[in-house]
Amino acid sequence: MLTDGLPGTEKSAEAHLAEAFCGNREAVEALAGMVVSGRMPHAFIVEGADGLGKSTFAGLIARCAMCTCAVPLAGTCSHCRKLREHIHPDLTVITGSGKTNAIAIDAVRAMRTDCRIAPNEAEKRVFVLEDCDNMQPAAQNAFLKIFEEAPPHVVFVMTCRSAMHLLETIRSRGRIITLYPVDPAEGADFLCRQYPTTDKAAAAAACEQCGGNLGEALRQLRPDDGGKQAALEEQAAGIVRGILSAMCGSSELTLAAACHAIGKDRALAGAICIRLSEALCCAMMVSVGAGETLEHPSQEVLRLGTLVSASALMRHIQEINMLSDWLRINISMPLFNTRLAIVLQRR
Ligand SMILES: [Zn+2]
């Protein structure tokens, strides 16, 4: 098993966070500082308008609380991987219900019992309470009780449009992180990196028009699917990182498991083929010594470029393109996933 951080490829926790979250230097630096010092508060309040990435940032806090990568947040440990694939048993996301979409007191009471249970796999359990603006004072007070007697293995993250919508007693106990719109040009670059099928000019225009609110810009770029495409791309990105990371290791079983994470969704498999080919093209550039021309190559791409020859990478890309064609002629998905794992084996 390889460890992280080949010479020259090591990135700081802050760089990994900045790659995953656009702009907001202050928030990113603060979180990176907590990771490096090993001092995480046990309660966060992430505030900001809709579309500024509160849920994404809450997910990053969860990663920071759980990650065991040799280089913090490199994305290679089982916690990073499971959080990316939204299957980590130690992350609980609580959302509101009913007309006001408020988190009900019953949900808070259930969490009170739940949070006493020790983590399954990580050192911490993270509870994310989404959109707490409409939470009734009774529910907030019930939450305050949990806050005060929280076991040390628990981290709470509340998201809201404004921390001023929370009781002062809660506000004063949480570390408040405020998110802001980003520079439109930086936002457009970020969107194109996250969603490679996005048209650059359209992304620039949308970010400009939305004043750097990336969620709004994404909705404008993909108005019809209610965020489905964005969710699919995010899922694809997570699985591709898992596959690339498995390709860097030597276990064929890990690679097979990473490929079978695709499941039965053909659209997802298609998006994965595109991303995987692109990543392997980048690794090929690293392999032939042209890596400096790449913008923000991931840790996995840099490692693969060092580990795998350009000709082998070329073969992988050809095989992926062929598999992508087979998707269109209805190859069975278990067969697709298995075949992908076989063709990506490092020999
Ligand atoms: Zn990790």
Side-chain angles (χ1 to χ4, degrees), residues 88-129:
H88 203 298
D90 294 319
L91 173 66
T92 307
V93 179
I94 298 164
T95 52
S97 55
K99 264 189 207 155
T100 58
N101 194 33
I103 293 176
I105 191 162
D106 288 347
V108 177
R109 286 189 184 129
M111 182 174 69
R112 187 174 181 184
T113 316
D114 191 18
C115 77
R116 293 187 197 291
I117 301 169
N120 281 288
E121 295 177 13
E123 267 189 30
K124 301 272 187 192
R125 289 190 68 189
V126 179
F127 290 83
V128 176
L129 290 82

Side-chain angles (χ1 to χ4, degrees), residues 67-69 75 77 80:
C67 173
T68 54
C69 291
C77 72
C80 279

Side-chain angles (χ1 to χ4, degrees), residues 175-192:
R175 171 73 154 86
I176 297 179
I177 301 230
T178 307
L179 299 180
Y180 298 97
V182 302
D183 171 65
E186 194 185 341
D189 279 350
F190 182 84
L191 286 184
C192 291

Side-chain angles (χ1 to χ4, degrees), residues 56-74:
T56 306
F57 202 86
L60 288 176
I61 293 174
R63 254 184 82 185
C64 290
M66 297 185 196
C67 173
T68 54
C69 291
V71 177
L73 306 175

